[in-house]
Amino acid sequence: MATRQSDSRPDDDTEERDDAVIGKAFWRSLALIVAVGVIGAVVAWRLGLKSPPPPPREAKLSLPAGREKPKVVMPAMPFTDVTAAAGIDFVHENGAAGEKLLPETMGGGCAFFDHDGDGDQDLLLVQGSRWPWDDRPAPQPAPTMRLYDNDGSGNFRDITAGSGLDVPFYGTGVAVGDFDADGRRDLFVTAVGPDRLFHNLGAGRFSDVTADAGVAGDEADWGTSCGWFDADRDGDLDLLVCNYVAWSRDIDRAQDFRLVGGGRAYGRPQNFGGAFPRLWRNDGDGRFTDVSAEAGIRVRNAATGVPVGKSLGLAFDDLDGDGVLDVVVANDTVQNFLFRNTGRAVFEEVGNLAGVAYDVEGKARGAMGIDIARFRNDDEIGIVIGNFSNEMNALYVSQGSQMQFKDDAVSNGFGPETRQELTFGVLFADIDLDGRLDILAANGHLEEDINKVQKTQFYEQSPELFWNCGVGEATEFRPAPTDLVGSDFHRPLVGRGVAAADIDGDGDTDLIVTASGSKPRLLRNDQASGHHWVRISLAGTGANPDAIGALVTVETAAGVEARRVSPTRSYQSQSELQVTIGLGTANGPVDVRVEWPDGTTSTHPGIEVDRAVKLSHPRSAETAHR
């Protein structure tokens, strides 16, 4: 038993050795654990770090020299000032005598129209007047609008005296249309104050039928652009009249507008209340009814109920392809209007929804003149609007078949070239007869002393021609330089209205530009491209003998050229009723298609080029054979 006891209990040396081994093992394990922990922590820390970015390297950038443009050669399109040589001695009276009243800045319009039915284009120039309170010696005779008769070769004779148009009032705009279907074109003239309607009696005589027709408007109205169109599709011509702002001498003088560091200035439209346009329905018996309210063209501020419009420009077209004419109104410093015609004599204002109310930033611009055309020779419709200085002019282009537009002025090369000028009248016209519509602009400022406070601005400004070079999917417009259009065209003036017509029967489009407080400029188109053309006038039926609103189309190498018969274009002005279609180098007969205002369609094959033709409504031919 004693032996077992001694064997089971180790001696002291063995115990010390075992303790030493255990201690070493413990410290080795501890060191290993610590090392593994440290290594793990280091690995985790490094894995959590992002790789440092590479050192910056300087990139070599090459700036473009400019927008690369397709290589096309702009043709010479010279104009000659024939104002005096043609017998035009008109001087516009704006009434300015130092008070700086806003109407003095807006100028008067003009109209090319055939007053006597002899086939050539005569000319009406709208006149302003002295103010009733002006104590200066009155001019003798008193200034009135002027009617000039064309002899067919571009020479004009003043036949105003005794015409019934030689009456003084502060006229502004004009509309031409045969409202009673007697075969003679009548004149409606807007004014600061009551408007006037002159019935064409023939032989150069007109009768003031304003009172009988009931279209004077109110004493406080300030009418601007106006136009005839069939609003309710009943066959006769109704009348739409734009009004600018709520104005009076007292309101104007109370504003005390000033130039920076200078004296009194012309007022801003923002400081005047808006005004409603008027729609006069033709009742067919020589009288008209104001249907503005029920027609839906009185646009009110949703918060205050006051009129929104400050309307200066007006144009008509069928923008949604439903067969009735819609209305676009250019407004100054407030949203533009697009009145969609429902076909029931009721309009819906859809300018904002359609994309034409504002610029691309949602801002209203100082809009003046307007025109509408199919400038790409396809189904797309362009709406060009002239705007104030330091604002690009607009070129709204339809997107597909819907009534939806986008301002393509920048992408078309048109907008940036127009930023500096203050544009009133704008117009589509094929100046070189190449089959593509160009754009014309009449420019001029409001203030004679504007250059003293804005060194980039001038009172007199050059007209502009933007040539449609027709390359690429997005049609591009390029400004025509002086050496291609001539110094007569580019000479500065205080431009306002611009109208187009072939005054000398050579097939190309001539122009007149009116000027505020000065002489107009009659410009003869002397282009010599050798391009072919056809000029078409229409003989309608029923109560619209000139077929206002019809669409004329010709298929050419340039595409389907379509022209709307609608003289209401530009600013307070009217162009000829005839449509000119440039054919370029195509010299063979063309087939013409007409969509008449009543919905009838007719085709006229084999029309010879380089001549003017008159096409009749099919029902006219049927009637003639009875």
Side-chain angles (χ1 to χ4, degrees):
M1 181 66 82
T3 303
R4 288 185 181 197
Q5 290 176 345
S6 63
D7 291 341
S8 62
R9 187 177 62 210
D11 59 23
D12 293 339
D13 291 340
T14 301
E15 187 176 358
E16 289 176 359
R17 284 196 302 271
D18 290 343
D19 289 343
V21 170
I22 292 169
K24 290 180 180 179
F26 171 77
W27 289 110
R28 286 175 182 168
S29 299
L30 181 61
L32 181 61
I33 292 170
V34 171
V36 170
V38 170
I39 292 171
V42 170
V43 171
W45 175 73
R46 290 184 63 84
L47 288 175
L49 291 178
K50 292 183 179 180
S51 300
R57 293 179 6 182
E58 183 178 355
K60 294 182 179 181
L61 299 177
S62 58
L63 296 177
R67 180 181 178 185
E68 186 175 349
K69 297 183 178 181
K71 294 182 179 179
V72 291
V73 177
M74 187 181 300
M77 297 169 283
F79 286 87
T80 302
D81 183 349
V82 295
T83 313
I88 307 299
D89 58 354
F90 176 86
V91 178
H92 180 254
E93 172 64 73
N94 61 15
E99 283 192 295
K100 294 287 185 88
L101 302 176
L102 188 56
E104 298 164 5
T105 69
M106 307 308 287
C110 58
F112 280 120
F113 76 115
D114 185 0
H115 82 88
D116 52 3
D118 63 357
D120 53 41
Q121 298 304 306
D122 309 304
L123 176 63
L124 180 88
L125 292 165
V126 178
Q127 183 61 287
S129 73
R130 296 278 183 93
W131 296 113
W133 50 84
D134 191 338
D135 58 3
R136 293 178 296 172
Q140 297 296 330
T144 71
M145 58 182 156
R146 304 279 281 277
L147 177 63
Y148 291 92
D149 182 69
N150 188 350
D151 68 359
S153 62
N155 296 310
F156 292 85
R157 179 172 59 93
D158 187 345
I159 60 169
T160 311
S163 67
L165 301 176
D166 48 346
V167 288
F169 64 99
Y170 205 117
T172 50
V174 58
V176 177
D178 184 0
F179 76 85
D180 58 350
D182 64 355
R184 298 184 293 269
R185 285 97 187 179
D186 309 300
L187 298 172
F188 182 83
V189 183
T190 55
V192 179
D195 300 325
R196 308 290 184 96
L197 176 61
F198 295 92
H199 181 223
N200 190 340
L201 304 176
R205 293 188 57 80
F206 292 78
S207 173
D208 187 338
V209 296
T210 310
D212 291 340
V215 292
D218 292 338
E219 288 281 345
D221 283 351
W222 174 356
T224 54
S225 292
C226 50
W228 299 96
F229 77 123
D230 187 358
D232 49 12
R233 212 174 186 184
D234 65 352
D236 57 23
L237 293 177
D238 309 298
L239 178 66
L240 196 140
V241 180
C242 292
N243 288 306
Y244 187 31
V245 294
W247 179 87
S248 72
R249 181 192 186 198
D250 291 340
I251 293 173
D252 201 329
R253 286 170 57 88
Q255 303 294 330
D256 194 27
F257 301 103
R258 297 278 167 178
L259 285 174
V260 177
R264 178 169 167 82
Y266 286 109
R268 305 183 311 152
Q270 294 95 324
N271 292 70
F272 297 87
F276 291 131
R278 292 183 185 273
L279 178 59
W280 297 102
R281 185 189 65 209
N282 190 338
D283 295 332
D285 57 357
R287 292 192 56 80
F288 293 78
T289 300
D290 186 347
V291 295
S292 307
E294 52 265 48
I297 66 165
R298 289 186 173 180
V299 182
R300 297 180 183 272
N301 183 298
T304 63
V306 302
V308 170
K310 299 179 180 182
S311 305
L312 290 175
L314 173 66
F316 306 103
D317 210 306
D318 180 4
L319 301 179
D320 54 1
D322 64 355
V324 292
L325 294 179
D326 308 297
V327 182
V328 186
V329 175
N331 284 314
D332 191 1
T333 71
V334 297
Q335 68 196 64
N336 299 318
F337 296 150
L338 194 165
F339 293 108
R340 188 181 76 84
N341 193 339
T342 66
R344 303 183 303 274
V346 175
F347 294 81
E348 297 175 352
E349 202 294 294
V350 295
N352 195 21
L353 292 174
V356 303
Y358 304 102
D359 68 8
V360 293
E361 297 178 347
K363 298 177 182 178
R365 290 181 278 199
M368 267 75 75
I370 183 172
D371 197 7
I372 303 176
R374 290 150 181 79
F375 69 95
R376 287 179 176 161
N377 293 340
D378 56 20
D379 291 335
E380 293 184 352
I381 298 174
I383 302 173
V384 61
I385 297 179
N387 292 316
F388 204 78
S389 58
N390 301 315
E391 298 174 340
M392 287 189 295
N393 291 346
L395 182 56
Y396 299 104
V397 182
S398 62
Q399 309 297 300
S401 59
Q402 301 300 315
M403 190 181 280
Q404 188 66 44
F405 293 80
K406 181 169 70 74
D407 191 350
D408 280 349
V410 173
S411 62
N412 283 285
F414 171 64
E417 298 288 349
T418 67
R419 183 181 293 275
Q420 184 166 311
E421 284 72 26
L422 198 167
T423 301
F424 276 83
V426 288
L427 207 61
F428 283 108
D430 184 359
I431 297 302
D432 60 339
L433 301 174
D434 63 353
R436 299 186 295 266
L437 289 170
D438 313 302
I439 298 177
L440 296 146
N443 306 314
H445 213 281
L446 311 182
E447 291 285 353
E448 293 185 27
D449 296 330
I450 189 62
N451 185 247
K452 295 179 180 179
V453 294
Q454 295 184 37
K455 295 304 180 185
T456 61
Q457 290 298 313
F458 299 89
Y459 184 49
E460 294 184 335
Q461 299 180 5
S462 297
E464 293 175 294
L465 167 59
F466 296 91
W467 181 64
N468 184 342
C469 67
V471 265
E473 295 181 0
T475 301
E476 186 174 354
F477 292 92
R478 300 184 183 178
T482 302
D483 62 335
L484 293 182
V485 294
S487 58
D488 282 357
F489 179 89
H490 264 173
R491 193 168 67 254
L493 79 168
V494 189
R496 293 297 183 258
V498 56
D502 179 7
I503 63 172
D504 50 7
D506 64 355
D508 55 30
T509 298
D510 309 298
L511 305 170
I512 190 164
V513 182
T514 66
S516 178
S518 186
K519 298 178 180 180
R521 186 173 303 165
L522 182 63
L523 293 162
R524 187 186 64 213
N525 186 346
D526 289 333
Q527 66 85 31
S529 64
H531 289 157
H532 300 285
W533 50 272
V534 60
R535 281 174 48 78
I536 298 167
S537 59
L538 299 181
T541 185
N544 185 4
D546 289 319
I548 289 178
L551 187 68
V552 179
T553 59
V554 175
E555 189 167 354
T556 72
V560 178
E561 298 185 51
R563 306 286 186 265
R564 181 75 63 184
V565 179
S566 183
T568 302
R569 307 159 60 194
S570 182
Y571 169 75
Q572 300 189 149
S573 298
Q574 305 274 291
S575 290
E576 64 179 348
L577 283 164
Q578 284 85 345
V579 297
T580 296
I581 298 178
L583 302 173
T585 58
N587 59 4
V590 295
D591 298 339
V592 179
R593 184 173 183 268
V594 181
E595 297 175 32
W596 298 87
D598 63 359
T600 301
T601 299
S602 63
T603 301
H604 308 264
I607 303 297
E608 295 294 331
V609 303
D610 297 337
R611 64 188 61 190
V613 298
K614 189 166 189 174
L615 306 179
S616 297
H617 190 287
R619 194 154 58 242
S620 299
E622 294 172 6
T623 303
H625 288 299
R626 289 176 184 170

